[in-house]
Amino acid sequence: MVLIKPFNVEQWMDKYETKCKYNIAETCSDSISLVELAALGESSEATNAENPITKALAKKRLDYGHIRGSPTLRQNIAELYNSVLPSQILITPGAIAANFLVFYTLVHPGDHIISIHPTYQQLYTVPESLGAQVDLWKLDEANSWSANLDDLRSLVKPNTKMIILNNPNNPTGAVLPLDVLTGVKELAEKNDITVLCDEVYAPIFHSSLNQPPPSFMALGYKKTIVTGSLSKAYSLAGIRIGWIASHDDEIIETIAAARDYNTISVSQLDDAVAAYALSPIVRGKIVERNIKLGETNLAVLDSFVARYAKWVSYVKPVSGTTAFVKFRKGNGKVVDDVKLCESVVGEVGVLFVPGGHCFGTCQGEFAGYVRIGYACGTEVLKEGLQKLGDWIEAGGIDK
């Protein structure tokens, strides 16, 4: 029997996200409705025309549809990566299912896996549950969460099967730049290692970043797998569409064979909405909206951190929707991140995620950190941080 460790961040969200007043733990860019989505593809001359999503769905028979995803959706996703064919795309119920399916198919007992860290717990816990030995390639907290290639090289073993990346990074909002990605590619190519890069937060790169990194797919390494979804960067978590992309046809066919056991097809309704959202004109508008939202809200968070610098510090994110923020008491002592989050949500209704509990892998790792999702509605973020600031000033953090 497979032993699955508790998925701490998801269990925390499940426990509190429907009970809080100010959710600044959510990592999706502020969600949009179908009406708002439809409007993005309408011209000013067509305001009275039929809703394009309704039109797309009108003649669909609600059978299983295209098993691997509709041709239109797969074509639109392939265009995100330029060099990938629609036949090299598999559609899944969200990126979480995409990642799980990759591990379920390709990771076996006795394999050695290297995962970047900190990151979404799924990326290292699931391979471990499948019998793999997992080593963590740790980002350098003292150097703005940078990645050291020599550290990665020291982790490689003869049986290393896969290197797992998350770019942009959850929870830090840092990125692996092109030179690091190229180094990973060269190391993987030399040792015949598959690279899985979870890119669910791409392409939300802020203007403060001098040179946004490319998708790992753009580096041309055949044994590359990239996963993505419409949840984080595209504001459509509710339609549950993700994907797996790879240059390697054999990898795609192997995963597709395993996929038959857990996914016949995704909802045709979701598929049609996703295809529309990822059409070039609409996709561009969503990305533009969410980069602007992220930058606007990050300025709000940055102002909060500066105002409460006695208690709060962070490495300012350059991408994505999350920040890893460290809290301490007025006397400099690190707070208990779980107790902090429980107190804040219970006393002022503000929800964020305890960093040590949800991202640490050993006692004391990331103690005092919380993950804040700052790409929610701007007013929600402002009001939530105002309540949090009032709580700090009232001595709540120093109790």
Side-chain angles (χ1 to χ4, degrees), residues 44-213:
S44 57
E45 296 81 16
T47 53
N48 296 319
E50 184 179 7
N51 181 309
I53 295 177
T54 303
K55 185 176 180 180
L57 296 174
K59 296 182 179 180
K60 279 193 174 294
R61 292 175 55 84
L62 296 182
D63 53 17
Y64 285 118
H66 294 274
I67 298 303
R68 297 191 183 191
S70 70
T72 302
L73 176 56
R74 293 165 78 193
Q75 175 64 42
N76 288 348
I77 293 171
E79 289 175 3
L80 299 176
Y81 306 109
N82 297 319
S83 59
V84 180
L85 300 173
S87 61
Q88 296 171 325
I89 305 289
L90 287 176
I91 305 303
T92 60
I96 193 168
N99 290 333
F100 193 94
L101 190 57
V102 170
F103 299 142
Y104 175 76
T105 306
L106 301 181
V107 175
H108 305 109
D111 287 341
H112 178 240
I113 306 295
I114 301 171
S115 173
I116 203 162
H117 184 69
T119 192
Y120 194 51
Q121 185 184 337
Q122 181 198 36
L123 299 183
Y124 51 89
T125 294
V126 173
E128 187 178 59
S129 75
L130 295 169
Q133 177 197 351
V134 179
D135 281 323
L136 301 176
W137 180 29
K138 296 189 176 184
L139 299 177
D140 186 358
E141 178 182 0
N143 193 21
S144 300
W145 301 110
S146 62
N148 187 306
L149 285 169
D150 287 335
D151 291 345
L152 176 61
R153 293 185 188 100
S154 71
L155 296 174
V156 173
K157 299 180 179 181
N159 65 331
T160 301
K161 181 76 169 289
M162 184 180 292
I163 296 172
I164 300 167
L165 309 178
N166 172 214
N167 202 38
N169 179 258
N170 168 23
T172 67
V175 298
L176 300 174
L178 177 58
D179 61 328
V180 171
L181 295 177
T182 301
V184 173
K185 179 241 183 181
E186 291 172 351
L187 181 64
E189 203 164 32
K190 178 181 178 181
N191 294 278
D192 193 34
I193 299 170
T194 299
V195 176
L196 167 64
C197 193
D198 178 330
E199 297 181 358
V200 295
Y201 292 92
I204 304 301
F205 300 109
H206 306 317
S207 57
S208 60
L209 190 62
N210 292 329
Q211 186 176 3

Side-chain angles (χ1 to χ4, degrees), residues 122-356:
Q122 181 198 36
L123 299 183
Y124 51 89
T125 294
V126 173
E128 187 178 59
S129 75
L130 295 169
Q133 177 197 351
V134 179
D135 281 323
L136 301 176
W137 180 29
K138 296 189 176 184
L139 299 177
D140 186 358
E141 178 182 0
N143 193 21
S144 300
W145 301 110
S146 62
N148 187 306
L149 285 169
D150 287 335
D151 291 345
L152 176 61
R153 293 185 188 100
S154 71
L155 296 174
V156 173
K157 299 180 179 181
N159 65 331
T160 301
K161 181 76 169 289
M162 184 180 292
I163 296 172
I164 300 167
L165 309 178
N166 172 214
N167 202 38
N169 179 258
N170 168 23
T172 67
V175 298
L176 300 174
L178 177 58
D179 61 328
V180 171
L181 295 177
T182 301
V184 173
K185 179 241 183 181
E186 291 172 351
L187 181 64
E189 203 164 32
K190 178 181 178 181
N191 294 278
D192 193 34
I193 299 170
T194 299
V195 176
L196 167 64
C197 193
D198 178 330
E199 297 181 358
V200 295
Y201 292 92
I204 304 301
F205 300 109
H206 306 317
S207 57
S208 60
L209 190 62
N210 292 329
Q211 186 176 3
S215 167
F216 202 88
M217 195 68 71
L219 304 185
Y221 178 45
K222 186 175 183 179
K223 297 185 73 170
T224 292
I225 303 169
V226 166
T227 56
S229 85
L230 283 161
S231 298
K232 311 302 182 183
Y234 298 99
S235 299
L236 291 166
I239 65 170
R240 307 309 303 137
I241 291 290
W243 58 85
I244 299 166
S246 180
H247 292 301
D248 193 321
D249 293 331
E250 183 178 351
I251 285 177
I252 289 293
E253 292 307 313
T254 301
I255 296 174
R259 180 182 178 276
D260 290 338
Y261 284 96
N262 78 346
T263 306
I264 297 175
S265 66
V266 298
S267 159
Q268 280 212 64
L269 304 180
D270 291 353
D271 187 301
V273 173
Y276 173 77
L278 290 178
S279 59
I281 291 176
V282 178
R283 178 179 75 232
K285 290 180 179 179
I286 294 174
V287 171
E288 181 181 10
R289 170 207 187 250
N290 288 345
I291 289 176
K292 182 178 180 181
L293 174 68
E295 292 182 335
T296 297
N297 287 9
L298 186 55
V300 173
L301 177 58
D302 202 47
S303 178
F304 170 85
V305 172
R307 179 174 179 178
Y308 294 97
K310 180 179 179 181
W311 299 274
V312 186
S313 61
Y314 77 154
V315 175
K316 188 176 180 179
V318 296
S319 63
T321 67
T322 64
F324 214 31
V325 182
K326 190 171 186 177
F327 283 77
R328 58 189 173 273
K329 294 180 181 293
N331 60 11
K333 291 185 177 180
V334 174
V335 302
D336 182 314
D337 49 276
V338 171
K339 290 182 179 179
L340 169 69
C341 291
E342 289 175 340
S343 296
V344 170
V345 74
E347 295 174 29
V348 293
V350 177
L351 175 64
F352 38 69
V353 170

Side-chain angles (χ1 to χ4, degrees), residues 19-40:
K19 302 172 184 176
C20 64
K21 187 172 183 179
Y22 306 100
N23 185 348
I24 57 174
E26 178 57 68
T27 58
C28 301
S29 297
D30 193 31
S31 298
I32 57 178
S33 69
L34 289 180
V35 171
E36 292 170 316
L37 176 63
L40 294 177

